[in-house]
Amino acid sequence: MSEQNPTSGADKLWGGRFTEATDAFVEAFTASVTFDKRMAEQDINGSIAHATMLAAVGVLTDAEKQQIITGLEQIRSEIRAGTFEWSVKLEDVHMNIEARLTDRIGITGKKLHTGRSRNDQVATDIRLYLRDAIDVILSEITRLQTGLVHLAEREADTIMPGFTHLQTAQPVTFGHHMLAWNEMLFRDYERMQDCRKRVNRMPLGSAALAGTTYPIDRTITAKLLGFEGICENSLDGVSDRDFAIEFAAASALIMTHLSRFSEELVLWTSAQFNFIDLPDRFCTGSSIMPQKKNPDVPELVRGKTGRVNGHLISLLTLMKSQCLAYNKDNQEDKEPIFDTVDTVLNCLRAYADMMPALQVKKDNMREAAKRGFSTATDLADYLVKKGVAFRDSHEIVGKAVGYGVAQKKDLADMSLAELQQFSSIITDDVFAVLTLEGSVNARNHLGGTAPAQVKAAVQQAKAKLAERG
Ligand code: ARG
């Protein structure tokens, strides 16, 4: 028997059929404990639920169940206290904990794995882990959105230039601009919530791939672990990681939104835009240029987007050629998932912390809105309302802008006589249209930039956020 031979696979929980020890490099290469120990709590919770169910259906006695639970709780304490000794020889989090359980409670520990496989165990653990992570991500999105909504409320009347092609387009309110980011985050929140439903399905009971010969009751374990349902097919339950791919995709979109937002903050803090200021505590300096105050936090968030996009591609690629059912390839899902969770959470946190601290330089925004003929469309609309066809009025205003460029004069700064050179229809009432306030107030419909609309949208957003509880 292999137990007599120290060079055999006898030191492994699966070593029965092996006649030589695992190659040292292979052992390290195939091990996952260095990273999957992060799911230790979920692994213990899954095992406690499994043992409880086994006792309920008569596969374990109540005394055995109790021994297992007590042992697992002691292991939980060791792990929390940092005294648990993880061993690469024991490959992964599951076998480290199971081996330790047997050390502690003896033969009963060896009964825990009855009717279960590491294949359904790991699939259960990662889903539990992800479910918890999604809940934290959801609450960080809410914190960021709350900050954005307050900012939008505070700056509902603040006027800035709106851009298309990064060229001055039309005046908008800063509050309106902030609410645009908030809308993206509402969708990000919904996507995460929706993904959570599919994460929260229990594979446990699939065993290795085909189910088990023991009279298990999966509804008991599902209920104990808070799953909304079970994976209905055992082959699918142990093998697919589509829920993780969905999570990575939803995360990549969050990062994409934060990255675009970052791009704006970087531009806006530059001397050329000079629209906002970030407090020193969110910036860093340069080791050579004493004057520098760099917007490192937004830059880094923008940069970290690449990492999460990469994880999405890793997970998709990991899955694409796997035949049914479980394959060891799936061990490669952990690091991308963990790093996605860390990155998204850190970036959301940085943004949520930054929002209330953002200082808006209203005068500079206003000045910028006045440059670049941002009310040209208003003048065109004015002429249309007086009976000129839109294409003709476009042409007329184009000429007026050309004149303004040559004279270095905004439309609002031209005299009536100057404006009338381009159309005799123009009268004194034009100036109400050409002011920045006139321009934004005129866009007073659902979804428009008028301060009145922004204030109403803020109230709606607040109500929606309040529903989350
Ligand atoms: N560490 C493995 C993983 O992360 C656990 C399952 C391994 N199962 C097996 N039969 N080798 O996927």
Side-chain angles (χ1 to χ4, degrees), residues 50 53 115-121 123-124 127 201-213 216 218 221 230-239 325-326:
H50 181 64
M53 180 278 290
R116 180 177 83 167
S117 153
R118 268 186 300 150
N119 298 351
D120 60 344
Q121 189 178 356
T124 302
R127 284 170 181 265
R201 290 295 192 105
M202 189 189 74
L204 196 62
S206 303
L209 75 164
T212 175
T213 56
I216 58 169
R218 299 181 69 198
T221 31
I230 59 168
C231 300
E232 304 280 352
N233 179 295
S234 63
L235 295 165
D236 176 48
V238 290
S239 81
Y326 174 85

PDB file of all heavy atoms in Angstrom, residues 50 53 115-121 123-124 127 201-213 216 218 221 230-239 325-326:
ATOM      1  N   HIS A  50     -23.034  21.698   3.700  1.00  0.00           N
ATOM      2  CA  HIS A  50     -23.017  20.337   3.140  1.00  0.00           C
ATOM      3  C   HIS A  50     -23.147  19.293   4.262  1.00  0.00           C
ATOM      4  O   HIS A  50     -23.960  18.358   4.171  1.00  0.00           O
ATOM      5  CB  HIS A  50     -21.715  20.136   2.355  1.00  0.00           C
ATOM      6  CG  HIS A  50     -21.589  18.793   1.710  1.00  0.00           C
ATOM      7  ND1 HIS A  50     -22.447  18.363   0.707  1.00  0.00           N
ATOM      8  CD2 HIS A  50     -20.707  17.766   1.914  1.00  0.00           C
ATOM      9  CE1 HIS A  50     -22.101  17.138   0.336  1.00  0.00           C
ATOM     10  NE2 HIS A  50     -21.051  16.752   1.049  1.00  0.00           N
ATOM     11  N   MET A  53     -26.639  19.226   5.644  1.00  0.00           N
ATOM     12  CA  MET A  53     -27.556  18.524   4.745  1.00  0.00           C
ATOM     13  C   MET A  53     -27.331  17.004   4.835  1.00  0.00           C
ATOM     14  O   MET A  53     -28.291  16.232   4.911  1.00  0.00           O
ATOM     15  CB  MET A  53     -27.347  19.035   3.306  1.00  0.00           C
ATOM     16  CG  MET A  53     -28.222  18.421   2.241  1.00  0.00           C
ATOM     17  SD  MET A  53     -27.646  16.832   1.625  1.00  0.00           S
ATOM     18  CE  MET A  53     -26.185  17.302   0.708  1.00  0.00           C
ATOM     19  N   GLY A 115     -20.309  12.529  -1.060  1.00  0.00           N
ATOM     20  CA  GLY A 115     -21.352  13.086  -1.949  1.00  0.00           C
ATOM     21  C   GLY A 115     -20.975  14.438  -2.523  1.00  0.00           C
ATOM     22  O   GLY A 115     -21.845  15.189  -2.977  1.00  0.00           O
ATOM     23  N   ARG A 116     -19.705  14.750  -2.519  1.00  0.00           N
ATOM     24  CA  ARG A 116     -19.277  16.056  -3.005  1.00  0.00           C
ATOM     25  C   ARG A 116     -17.961  15.879  -3.761  1.00  0.00           C
ATOM     26  O   ARG A 116     -17.264  14.873  -3.566  1.00  0.00           O
ATOM     27  CB  ARG A 116     -19.069  16.976  -1.795  1.00  0.00           C
ATOM     28  CG  ARG A 116     -18.620  18.365  -2.089  1.00  0.00           C
ATOM     29  CD  ARG A 116     -18.514  19.203  -0.821  1.00  0.00           C
ATOM     30  NE  ARG A 116     -17.245  18.989  -0.115  1.00  0.00           N
ATOM     31  CZ  ARG A 116     -16.809  19.778   0.867  1.00  0.00           C
ATOM     32  NH1 ARG A 116     -17.541  20.801   1.289  1.00  0.00           N
ATOM     33  NH2 ARG A 116     -15.653  19.536   1.453  1.00  0.00           N
ATOM     34  N   SER A 117     -17.640  16.810  -4.609  1.00  0.00           N
ATOM     35  CA  SER A 117     -16.357  16.796  -5.325  1.00  0.00           C
ATOM     36  C   SER A 117     -15.773  18.190  -5.207  1.00  0.00           C
ATOM     37  O   SER A 117     -16.505  19.158  -4.956  1.00  0.00           O
ATOM     38  CB  SER A 117     -16.611  16.450  -6.794  1.00  0.00           C
ATOM     39  OG  SER A 117     -15.609  16.985  -7.619  1.00  0.00           O
ATOM     40  N   ARG A 118     -14.469  18.304  -5.408  1.00  0.00           N
ATOM     41  CA  ARG A 118     -13.924  19.658  -5.427  1.00  0.00           C
ATOM     42  C   ARG A 118     -14.498  20.457  -6.592  1.00  0.00           C
ATOM     43  O   ARG A 118     -14.505  21.678  -6.580  1.00  0.00           O
ATOM     44  CB  ARG A 118     -12.400  19.617  -5.523  1.00  0.00           C
ATOM     45  CG  ARG A 118     -11.731  19.638  -4.177  1.00  0.00           C
ATOM     46  CD  ARG A 118     -10.243  19.754  -4.347  1.00  0.00           C
ATOM     47  NE  ARG A 118      -9.712  18.646  -5.109  1.00  0.00           N
ATOM     48  CZ  ARG A 118      -8.627  18.694  -5.898  1.00  0.00           C
ATOM     49  NH1 ARG A 118      -7.952  19.821  -6.003  1.00  0.00           N
ATOM     50  NH2 ARG A 118      -8.205  17.633  -6.550  1.00  0.00           N
ATOM     51  N   ASN A 119     -14.980  19.729  -7.602  1.00  0.00           N
ATOM     52  CA  ASN A 119     -15.515  20.447  -8.760  1.00  0.00           C
ATOM     53  C   ASN A 119     -16.770  21.247  -8.418  1.00  0.00           C
ATOM     54  O   ASN A 119     -16.904  22.404  -8.808  1.00  0.00           O
ATOM     55  CB  ASN A 119     -15.811  19.459  -9.892  1.00  0.00           C
ATOM     56  CG  ASN A 119     -14.558  18.743 -10.372  1.00  0.00           C
ATOM     57  OD1 ASN A 119     -13.458  19.120  -9.973  1.00  0.00           O
ATOM     58  ND2 ASN A 119     -14.714  17.728 -11.199  1.00  0.00           N
ATOM     59  N   ASP A 120     -17.684  20.634  -7.678  1.00  0.00           N
ATOM     60  CA  ASP A 120     -18.864  21.425  -7.296  1.00  0.00           C
ATOM     61  C   ASP A 120     -18.545  22.319  -6.099  1.00  0.00           C
ATOM     62  O   ASP A 120     -19.141  23.381  -5.918  1.00  0.00           O
ATOM     63  CB  ASP A 120     -20.124  20.571  -7.075  1.00  0.00           C
ATOM     64  CG  ASP A 120     -19.990  19.518  -5.983  1.00  0.00           C
ATOM     65  OD1 ASP A 120     -18.856  19.204  -5.576  1.00  0.00           O
ATOM     66  OD2 ASP A 120     -21.044  18.994  -5.544  1.00  0.00           O
ATOM     67  N   GLN A 121     -17.541  21.907  -5.316  1.00  0.00           N
ATOM     68  CA  GLN A 121     -17.152  22.719  -4.158  1.00  0.00           C
ATOM     69  C   GLN A 121     -16.567  24.055  -4.613  1.00  0.00           C
ATOM     70  O   GLN A 121     -16.957  25.127  -4.133  1.00  0.00           O
ATOM     71  CB  GLN A 121     -16.106  21.930  -3.351  1.00  0.00           C
ATOM     72  CG  GLN A 121     -15.758  22.534  -2.023  1.00  0.00           C
ATOM     73  CD  GLN A 121     -14.734  21.661  -1.262  1.00  0.00           C
ATOM     74  OE1 GLN A 121     -14.353  20.576  -1.728  1.00  0.00           O
ATOM     75  NE2 GLN A 121     -14.307  22.126  -0.120  1.00  0.00           N
ATOM     76  N   ALA A 123     -16.857  25.524  -7.518  1.00  0.00           N
ATOM     77  CA  ALA A 123     -17.840  26.333  -8.249  1.00  0.00           C
ATOM     78  C   ALA A 123     -18.781  27.033  -7.262  1.00  0.00           C
ATOM     79  O   ALA A 123     -19.202  28.171  -7.482  1.00  0.00           O
ATOM     80  CB  ALA A 123     -18.631  25.462  -9.216  1.00  0.00           C
ATOM     81  N   THR A 124     -19.074  26.350  -6.156  1.00  0.00           N
ATOM     82  CA  THR A 124     -19.929  26.950  -5.120  1.00  0.00           C
ATOM     83  C   THR A 124     -19.185  28.095  -4.416  1.00  0.00           C
ATOM     84  O   THR A 124     -19.728  29.183  -4.231  1.00  0.00           O
ATOM     85  CB  THR A 124     -20.337  25.878  -4.089  1.00  0.00           C
ATOM     86  OG1 THR A 124     -21.020  24.828  -4.781  1.00  0.00           O
ATOM     87  CG2 THR A 124     -21.244  26.447  -3.014  1.00  0.00           C
ATOM     88  N   ARG A 127     -18.857  31.291  -6.473  1.00  0.00           N
ATOM     89  CA  ARG A 127     -20.137  32.004  -6.592  1.00  0.00           C
ATOM     90  C   ARG A 127     -20.467  32.736  -5.294  1.00  0.00           C
ATOM     91  O   ARG A 127     -20.937  33.883  -5.317  1.00  0.00           O
ATOM     92  CB  ARG A 127     -21.268  31.027  -6.959  1.00  0.00           C
ATOM     93  CG  ARG A 127     -21.251  30.612  -8.426  1.00  0.00           C
ATOM     94  CD  ARG A 127     -22.224  29.468  -8.651  1.00  0.00           C
ATOM     95  NE  ARG A 127     -22.265  28.994 -10.017  1.00  0.00           N
ATOM     96  CZ  ARG A 127     -23.142  29.391 -10.951  1.00  0.00           C
ATOM     97  NH1 ARG A 127     -24.049  30.303 -10.651  1.00  0.00           N
ATOM     98  NH2 ARG A 127     -23.111  28.887 -12.164  1.00  0.00           N
ATOM     99  N   ARG A 201     -26.722  31.083  -7.971  1.00  0.00           N
ATOM    100  CA  ARG A 201     -27.293  29.746  -8.221  1.00  0.00           C
ATOM    101  C   ARG A 201     -26.311  28.711  -7.699  1.00  0.00           C
ATOM    102  O   ARG A 201     -25.107  28.844  -7.903  1.00  0.00           O
ATOM    103  CB  ARG A 201     -27.464  29.518  -9.738  1.00  0.00           C
ATOM    104  CG  ARG A 201     -28.561  30.353 -10.353  1.00  0.00           C
ATOM    105  CD  ARG A 201     -29.869  29.924  -9.781  1.00  0.00           C
ATOM    106  NE  ARG A 201     -30.988  30.484 -10.511  1.00  0.00           N
ATOM    107  CZ  ARG A 201     -31.733  29.772 -11.346  1.00  0.00           C
ATOM    108  NH1 ARG A 201     -31.457  28.508 -11.602  1.00  0.00           N
ATOM    109  NH2 ARG A 201     -32.755  30.328 -11.937  1.00  0.00           N
ATOM    110  N   MET A 202     -26.804  27.666  -7.083  1.00  0.00           N
ATOM    111  CA  MET A 202     -25.912  26.729  -6.403  1.00  0.00           C
ATOM    112  C   MET A 202     -25.531  25.493  -7.227  1.00  0.00           C
ATOM    113  O   MET A 202     -26.385  24.676  -7.573  1.00  0.00           O
ATOM    114  CB  MET A 202     -26.555  26.263  -5.097  1.00  0.00           C
ATOM    115  CG  MET A 202     -25.570  25.457  -4.249  1.00  0.00           C
ATOM    116  SD  MET A 202     -26.353  24.687  -2.828  1.00  0.00           S
ATOM    117  CE  MET A 202     -27.257  23.365  -3.634  1.00  0.00           C
ATOM    118  N   PRO A 203     -24.225  25.326  -7.492  1.00  0.00           N
ATOM    119  CA  PRO A 203     -23.769  24.116  -8.187  1.00  0.00           C
ATOM    120  C   PRO A 203     -23.612  22.916  -7.262  1.00  0.00           C
ATOM    121  O   PRO A 203     -23.569  21.771  -7.730  1.00  0.00           O
ATOM    122  CB  PRO A 203     -22.395  24.505  -8.753  1.00  0.00           C
ATOM    123  CG  PRO A 203     -22.061  25.854  -8.233  1.00  0.00           C
ATOM    124  CD  PRO A 203     -23.121  26.296  -7.280  1.00  0.00           C
ATOM    125  N   LEU A 204     -23.508  23.154  -5.951  1.00  0.00           N
ATOM    126  CA  LEU A 204     -23.255  22.061  -5.000  1.00  0.00           C
ATOM    127  C   LEU A 204     -24.311  20.964  -5.188  1.00  0.00           C
ATOM    128  O   LEU A 204     -25.506  21.261  -5.274  1.00  0.00           O
ATOM    129  CB  LEU A 204     -23.287  22.610  -3.573  1.00  0.00           C
ATOM    130  CG  LEU A 204     -22.675  21.722  -2.486  1.00  0.00           C
ATOM    131  CD1 LEU A 204     -21.194  21.482  -2.736  1.00  0.00           C
ATOM    132  CD2 LEU A 204     -22.874  22.351  -1.112  1.00  0.00           C
ATOM    133  N   GLY A 205     -23.840  19.714  -5.226  1.00  0.00           N
ATOM    134  CA  GLY A 205     -24.747  18.599  -5.509  1.00  0.00           C
ATOM    135  C   GLY A 205     -24.477  18.053  -6.904  1.00  0.00           C
ATOM    136  O   GLY A 205     -24.890  16.946  -7.237  1.00  0.00           O
ATOM    137  N   SER A 206     -23.762  18.835  -7.719  1.00  0.00           N
ATOM    138  CA  SER A 206     -23.377  18.329  -9.041  1.00  0.00           C
ATOM    139  C   SER A 206     -22.306  17.264  -8.874  1.00  0.00           C
ATOM    140  O   SER A 206     -22.074  16.454  -9.774  1.00  0.00           O
ATOM    141  CB  SER A 206     -22.810  19.461  -9.906  1.00  0.00           C
ATOM    142  OG  SER A 206     -23.733  20.510 -10.037  1.00  0.00           O
ATOM    143  N   ALA A 207     -21.637  17.305  -7.705  1.00  0.00           N
ATOM    144  CA  ALA A 207     -20.489  16.432  -7.420  1.00  0.00           C
ATOM    145  C   ALA A 207     -19.443  16.586  -8.521  1.00  0.00           C
ATOM    146  O   ALA A 207     -19.228  17.692  -8.988  1.00  0.00           O
ATOM    147  CB  ALA A 207     -20.931  15.002  -7.210  1.00  0.00           C
ATOM    148  N   ALA A 208     -18.819  15.499  -8.972  1.00  0.00           N
ATOM    149  CA  ALA A 208     -17.735  15.666  -9.942  1.00  0.00           C
ATOM    150  C   ALA A 208     -18.275  16.167 -11.276  1.00  0.00           C
ATOM    151  O   ALA A 208     -17.732  17.071 -11.893  1.00  0.00           O
ATOM    152  CB  ALA A 208     -16.990  14.361 -10.143  1.00  0.00           C
ATOM    153  N   LEU A 209     -19.387  15.593 -11.703  1.00  0.00           N
ATOM    154  CA  LEU A 209     -20.022  16.017 -12.956  1.00  0.00           C
ATOM    155  C   LEU A 209     -21.419  15.453 -13.134  1.00  0.00           C
ATOM    156  O   LEU A 209     -22.263  16.043 -13.782  1.00  0.00           O
ATOM    157  CB  LEU A 209     -19.164  15.613 -14.173  1.00  0.00           C
ATOM    158  CG  LEU A 209     -19.139  14.139 -14.616  1.00  0.00           C
ATOM    159  CD1 LEU A 209     -18.577  14.045 -16.023  1.00  0.00           C
ATOM    160  CD2 LEU A 209     -18.365  13.261 -13.673  1.00  0.00           C
ATOM    161  N   ALA A 210     -21.685  14.264 -12.540  1.00  0.00           N
ATOM    162  CA  ALA A 210     -22.904  13.532 -12.889  1.00  0.00           C
ATOM    163  C   ALA A 210     -23.929  13.501 -11.761  1.00  0.00           C
ATOM    164  O   ALA A 210     -24.990  12.909 -11.904  1.00  0.00           O
ATOM    165  CB  ALA A 210     -22.536  12.108 -13.271  1.00  0.00           C
ATOM    166  N   GLY A 211     -23.587  14.173 -10.640  1.00  0.00           N
ATOM    167  CA  GLY A 211     -24.429  14.030  -9.460  1.00  0.00           C
ATOM    168  C   GLY A 211     -23.841  12.945  -8.580  1.00  0.00           C
ATOM    169  O   GLY A 211     -22.713  12.482  -8.818  1.00  0.00           O
ATOM    170  N   THR A 212     -24.591  12.541  -7.563  1.00  0.00           N
ATOM    171  CA  THR A 212     -24.034  11.594  -6.596  1.00  0.00           C
ATOM    172  C   THR A 212     -25.041  10.487  -6.274  1.00  0.00           C
ATOM    173  O   THR A 212     -26.248  10.668  -6.474  1.00  0.00           O
ATOM    174  CB  THR A 212     -23.615  12.334  -5.305  1.00  0.00           C
ATOM    175  OG1 THR A 212     -23.190  11.382  -4.332  1.00  0.00           O
ATOM    176  CG2 THR A 212     -24.774  13.133  -4.714  1.00  0.00           C
ATOM    177  N   THR A 213     -24.534   9.374  -5.761  1.00  0.00           N
ATOM    178  CA  THR A 213     -25.412   8.244  -5.442  1.00  0.00           C
ATOM    179  C   THR A 213     -26.055   8.389  -4.070  1.00  0.00           C
ATOM    180  O   THR A 213     -26.918   7.605  -3.689  1.00  0.00           O
ATOM    181  CB  THR A 213     -24.601   6.934  -5.477  1.00  0.00           C
ATOM    182  OG1 THR A 213     -23.495   7.067  -4.582  1.00  0.00           O
ATOM    183  CG2 THR A 213     -24.100   6.629  -6.873  1.00  0.00           C
ATOM    184  N   ILE A 216     -28.946  13.042  -1.498  1.00  0.00           N
ATOM    185  CA  ILE A 216     -28.774  14.449  -1.068  1.00  0.00           C
ATOM    186  C   ILE A 216     -30.054  15.240  -1.288  1.00  0.00           C
ATOM    187  O   ILE A 216     -30.879  14.888  -2.126  1.00  0.00           O
ATOM    188  CB  ILE A 216     -27.603  15.133  -1.812  1.00  0.00           C
ATOM    189  CG1 ILE A 216     -27.822  15.091  -3.334  1.00  0.00           C
ATOM    190  CG2 ILE A 216     -26.271  14.496  -1.434  1.00  0.00           C
ATOM    191  CD1 ILE A 216     -26.866  15.969  -4.121  1.00  0.00           C
ATOM    192  N   ARG A 218     -30.651  18.989  -2.233  1.00  0.00           N
ATOM    193  CA  ARG A 218     -29.972  20.243  -2.608  1.00  0.00           C
ATOM    194  C   ARG A 218     -30.735  21.472  -2.137  1.00  0.00           C
ATOM    195  O   ARG A 218     -30.158  22.555  -2.016  1.00  0.00           O
ATOM    196  CB  ARG A 218     -29.758  20.293  -4.127  1.00  0.00           C
ATOM    197  CG  ARG A 218     -28.892  19.140  -4.628  1.00  0.00           C
ATOM    198  CD  ARG A 218     -28.684  19.228  -6.129  1.00  0.00           C
ATOM    199  NE  ARG A 218     -27.838  20.351  -6.502  1.00  0.00           N
ATOM    200  CZ  ARG A 218     -27.778  20.849  -7.735  1.00  0.00           C
ATOM    201  NH1 ARG A 218     -28.524  20.339  -8.701  1.00  0.00           N
ATOM    202  NH2 ARG A 218     -26.975  21.864  -7.999  1.00  0.00           N
ATOM    203  N   THR A 221     -29.183  22.649   1.264  1.00  0.00           N
ATOM    204  CA  THR A 221     -27.925  23.408   1.169  1.00  0.00           C
ATOM    205  C   THR A 221     -28.151  24.773   0.527  1.00  0.00           C
ATOM    206  O   THR A 221     -27.594  25.778   0.968  1.00  0.00           O
ATOM    207  CB  THR A 221     -26.857  22.618   0.368  1.00  0.00           C
ATOM    208  OG1 THR A 221     -27.506  21.811  -0.609  1.00  0.00           O
ATOM    209  CG2 THR A 221     -26.024  21.746   1.269  1.00  0.00           C
ATOM    210  N   ILE A 230     -30.881  26.505  -7.698  1.00  0.00           N
ATOM    211  CA  ILE A 230     -29.742  25.611  -7.933  1.00  0.00           C
ATOM    212  C   ILE A 230     -29.412  25.573  -9.419  1.00  0.00           C
ATOM    213  O   ILE A 230     -30.245  25.929 -10.253  1.00  0.00           O
ATOM    214  CB  ILE A 230     -30.041  24.172  -7.437  1.00  0.00           C
ATOM    215  CG1 ILE A 230     -31.270  23.607  -8.172  1.00  0.00           C
ATOM    216  CG2 ILE A 230     -30.253  24.148  -5.932  1.00  0.00           C
ATOM    217  CD1 ILE A 230     -31.454  22.118  -7.957  1.00  0.00           C
ATOM    218  N   CYS A 231     -28.210  25.141  -9.745  1.00  0.00           N
ATOM    219  CA  CYS A 231     -27.864  24.866 -11.136  1.00  0.00           C
ATOM    220  C   CYS A 231     -28.585  23.568 -11.484  1.00  0.00           C
ATOM    221  O   CYS A 231     -28.394  22.547 -10.816  1.00  0.00           O
ATOM    222  CB  CYS A 231     -26.359  24.714 -11.300  1.00  0.00           C
ATOM    223  SG  CYS A 231     -25.451  26.180 -10.812  1.00  0.00           S
ATOM    224  N   GLU A 232     -29.422  23.614 -12.501  1.00  0.00           N
ATOM    225  CA  GLU A 232     -30.347  22.519 -12.765  1.00  0.00           C
ATOM    226  C   GLU A 232     -29.680  21.299 -13.398  1.00  0.00           C
ATOM    227  O   GLU A 232     -30.244  20.214 -13.408  1.00  0.00           O
ATOM    228  CB  GLU A 232     -31.474  22.985 -13.706  1.00  0.00           C
ATOM    229  CG  GLU A 232     -32.253  24.203 -13.211  1.00  0.00           C
ATOM    230  CD  GLU A 232     -33.303  23.850 -12.171  1.00  0.00           C
ATOM    231  OE1 GLU A 232     -33.535  22.647 -11.937  1.00  0.00           O
ATOM    232  OE2 GLU A 232     -33.882  24.791 -11.586  1.00  0.00           O
ATOM    233  N   ASN A 233     -28.499  21.510 -13.970  1.00  0.00           N
ATOM    234  CA  ASN A 233     -27.827  20.408 -14.657  1.00  0.00           C
ATOM    235  C   ASN A 233     -26.422  20.260 -14.078  1.00  0.00           C
ATOM    236  O   ASN A 233     -25.666  21.217 -14.025  1.00  0.00           O
ATOM    237  CB  ASN A 233     -27.781  20.717 -16.165  1.00  0.00           C
ATOM    238  CG  ASN A 233     -27.076  19.636 -16.963  1.00  0.00           C
ATOM    239  OD1 ASN A 233     -25.875  19.411 -16.801  1.00  0.00           O
ATOM    240  ND2 ASN A 233     -27.818  18.960 -17.820  1.00  0.00           N
ATOM    241  N   SER A 234     -26.113  19.049 -13.629  1.00  0.00           N
ATOM    242  CA  SER A 234     -24.853  18.862 -12.901  1.00  0.00           C
ATOM    243  C   SER A 234     -23.624  19.125 -13.778  1.00  0.00           C
ATOM    244  O   SER A 234     -22.628  19.666 -13.305  1.00  0.00           O
ATOM    245  CB  SER A 234     -24.798  17.453 -12.306  1.00  0.00           C
ATOM    246  OG  SER A 234     -24.816  16.485 -13.342  1.00  0.00           O
ATOM    247  N   LEU A 235     -23.708  18.759 -15.057  1.00  0.00           N
ATOM    248  CA  LEU A 235     -22.558  18.977 -15.956  1.00  0.00           C
ATOM    249  C   LEU A 235     -22.308  20.473 -16.122  1.00  0.00           C
ATOM    250  O   LEU A 235     -21.174  20.952 -16.072  1.00  0.00           O
ATOM    251  CB  LEU A 235     -22.844  18.355 -17.338  1.00  0.00           C
ATOM    252  CG  LEU A 235     -23.003  16.841 -17.393  1.00  0.00           C
ATOM    253  CD1 LEU A 235     -23.630  16.423 -18.718  1.00  0.00           C
ATOM    254  CD2 LEU A 235     -21.651  16.161 -17.217  1.00  0.00           C
ATOM    255  N   ASP A 236     -23.402  21.195 -16.304  1.00  0.00           N
ATOM    256  CA  ASP A 236     -23.306  22.644 -16.457  1.00  0.00           C
ATOM    257  C   ASP A 236     -22.831  23.286 -15.149  1.00  0.00           C
ATOM    258  O   ASP A 236     -21.988  24.192 -15.156  1.00  0.00           O
ATOM    259  CB  ASP A 236     -24.692  23.190 -16.856  1.00  0.00           C
ATOM    260  CG  ASP A 236     -24.726  24.701 -16.934  1.00  0.00           C
ATOM    261  OD1 ASP A 236     -23.813  25.272 -17.558  1.00  0.00           O
ATOM    262  OD2 ASP A 236     -25.658  25.304 -16.376  1.00  0.00           O
ATOM    263  N   GLY A 237     -23.348  22.776 -14.042  1.00  0.00           N
ATOM    264  CA  GLY A 237     -23.045  23.363 -12.729  1.00  0.00           C
ATOM    265  C   GLY A 237     -21.560  23.394 -12.414  1.00  0.00           C
ATOM    266  O   GLY A 237     -21.048  24.376 -11.891  1.00  0.00           O
ATOM    267  N   VAL A 238     -20.849  22.321 -12.748  1.00  0.00           N
ATOM    268  CA  VAL A 238     -19.416  22.287 -12.420  1.00  0.00           C
ATOM    269  C   VAL A 238     -18.554  22.942 -13.484  1.00  0.00           C
ATOM    270  O   VAL A 238     -17.381  23.222 -13.240  1.00  0.00           O
ATOM    271  CB  VAL A 238     -18.876  20.846 -12.221  1.00  0.00           C
ATOM    272  CG1 VAL A 238     -19.417  20.245 -10.940  1.00  0.00           C
ATOM    273  CG2 VAL A 238     -19.179  19.963 -13.421  1.00  0.00           C
ATOM    274  N   SER A 239     -19.123  23.181 -14.649  1.00  0.00           N
ATOM    275  CA  SER A 239     -18.206  23.579 -15.721  1.00  0.00           C
ATOM    276  C   SER A 239     -18.300  25.029 -16.167  1.00  0.00           C
ATOM    277  O   SER A 239     -17.277  25.635 -16.447  1.00  0.00           O
ATOM    278  CB  SER A 239     -18.365  22.656 -16.920  1.00  0.00           C
ATOM    279  OG  SER A 239     -19.475  23.032 -17.699  1.00  0.00           O
ATOM    280  N   ALA A 325     -16.986  18.222 -18.777  1.00  0.00           N
ATOM    281  CA  ALA A 325     -17.599  19.135 -17.827  1.00  0.00           C
ATOM    282  C   ALA A 325     -16.476  19.970 -17.199  1.00  0.00           C
ATOM    283  O   ALA A 325     -15.929  20.826 -17.863  1.00  0.00           O
ATOM    284  CB  ALA A 325     -18.377  18.386 -16.771  1.00  0.00           C
ATOM    285  N   TYR A 326     -16.080  19.661 -15.959  1.00  0.00           N
ATOM    286  CA  TYR A 326     -15.015  20.443 -15.318  1.00  0.00           C
ATOM    287  C   TYR A 326     -13.666  20.162 -15.973  1.00  0.00           C
ATOM    288  O   TYR A 326     -13.348  19.023 -16.310  1.00  0.00           O
ATOM    289  CB  TYR A 326     -14.922  20.110 -13.815  1.00  0.00           C
ATOM    290  CG  TYR A 326     -13.727  20.793 -13.171  1.00  0.00           C
ATOM    291  CD1 TYR A 326     -13.829  22.095 -12.709  1.00  0.00           C
ATOM    292  CD2 TYR A 326     -12.486  20.155 -13.085  1.00  0.00           C
ATOM    293  CE1 TYR A 326     -12.730  22.749 -12.166  1.00  0.00           C
ATOM    294  CE2 TYR A 326     -11.384  20.798 -12.541  1.00  0.00           C
ATOM    295  CZ  TYR A 326     -11.512  22.092 -12.086  1.00  0.00           C
ATOM    296  OH  TYR A 326     -10.429  22.740 -11.554  1.00  0.00           O
TER     297      TYR A 326
END
